[in-house]
């Protein structure tokens, strides 16, 4: 029993030393336990019998690509667009959403935070709120967001307004 315990300890120390001697491609956390509850933004993968490697399920966001006007079609209204403008100074403006006033924005890893409040609406819940959305995809011309309080699979798709002209395609 003591010999097997010593052997397991030696293998664990040896694998730990080897693991830290290489430079990891991604940021990783190693947990030596078979019972593990991953955080919401992590994807566990079993490496050995009792070792779980956890890597963040996030994408790297280029903040510069977020700057600009992001529009989506208004449901049920042809040729009408709504969205937001994200400015360099972290100010945000709601576009064609008359009761919603964006104040500022912040990026934390792959999560976009939008501070806002309702204006001109009689409601007991018209206080300031922070919309929290996860950026699923970002290119020079498109932005796909998942609101954290939305149903699984729901996505909001935006197109970037370029050259002073509104996006014409609704696809």
């Amino acid at each position: 029993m003591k010999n097997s315990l010593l052997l397991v300890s030696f293998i664990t120390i040896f694998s730990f030393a080897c693991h830290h001697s290489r430079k990891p491609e991604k940021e990783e956390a190693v947990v030596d336990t078979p019972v593990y509850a991953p955080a919401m933004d992590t994807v566990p993968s079993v490496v050995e019998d009792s070792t779980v490697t956890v890597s963040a399920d996030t994408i790297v966001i280029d903040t510069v690509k977020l700057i600009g006007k992001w529009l989506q079609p208004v449901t049920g209204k042809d040729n009408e667009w709504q969205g937001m403008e994200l400015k360099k100074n972290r100010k945000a403006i709601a576009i064609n959403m008359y009761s919603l006033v964006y104040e500022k924005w912040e990026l934390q890893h792959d999560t976009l935070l939008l501070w806002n409040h309702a204006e001109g609406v009689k409601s007991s819940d018209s206080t300031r709120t922070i919309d929290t959305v996860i950026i699923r995809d970002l290119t020079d011309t498109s932005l796909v967001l998942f609101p954290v309080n939305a149903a699984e699979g729901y996505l909001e798709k935006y197109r970037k307004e370029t050259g002073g002209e509104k996006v014409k395609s609704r696809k």
Side-chain angles (χ1 to χ4, degrees):
M1 179 78 172
K2 278 188 174 182
N3 289 340
S4 63
L5 185 58
L6 285 173
L7 180 61
V8 170
S9 298
F10 176 76
I11 291 172
T12 303
I13 292 169
F14 180 76
S15 67
F16 183 77
C18 290
H19 176 72
H20 287 287
S21 65
R22 66 173 174 87
K23 185 174 181 179
E25 291 177 21
K26 285 188 186 177
E27 189 171 313
E28 299 178 340
V30 176
V31 180
D32 275 333
T33 178
V35 180
Y36 178 71
M40 284 186 71
D41 67 340
T42 61
V43 177
S45 59
V46 176
V47 177
E48 295 178 87
D49 288 341
S50 64
T51 304
V52 176
T53 302
V54 180
S55 59
D57 184 22
T58 59
I59 57 175
V60 177
I61 305 299
D62 182 3
T63 307
V64 175
K65 284 185 180 180
L66 279 174
I67 307 299
K69 291 182 181 180
W70 294 98
L71 302 171
Q72 64 182 185
V74 175
T75 306
K77 296 188 177 185
D78 291 337
N79 300 322
E80 286 195 37
W81 297 86
Q82 67 184 13
M84 62 195 152
E85 180 177 4
L86 304 176
K87 297 188 172 206
K88 289 180 186 177
N89 61 1
R90 300 290 191 242
K91 297 250 185 219
I93 299 171
I95 299 171
N96 204 20
M97 294 186 281
Y98 301 107
S99 63
L100 181 66
V101 178
Y102 283 129
E103 298 162 3
K104 64 181 180 174
W105 67 277
E106 183 179 319
L107 181 65
Q108 294 180 355
H109 305 287
D110 64 346
T111 304
L112 179 62
L113 304 170
L114 293 159
W115 279 260
N116 64 73
H117 66 274
E119 197 170 83
V121 177
K122 289 187 177 185
S123 171
S124 61
D125 192 24
S126 62
T127 60
R128 287 184 160 77
T129 60
I130 301 173
D131 287 343
T132 305
V133 292
I134 297 172
I135 299 172
R136 294 290 186 190
D137 189 38
L138 174 63
T139 67
D140 291 336
T141 59
S142 70
L143 174 64
V144 179
L145 302 175
F146 171 69
V148 294
N149 59 353
E152 188 63 37
Y154 174 80
L155 296 173
E156 293 181 355
K157 299 177 182 179
Y158 294 87
R159 302 301 265 167
K160 193 169 199 176
E161 180 179 288
T162 57
E165 295 182 23
K166 286 188 179 175
V167 179
K168 290 182 176 43
S169 171
R170 293 189 69 162
K171 294 180 182 177

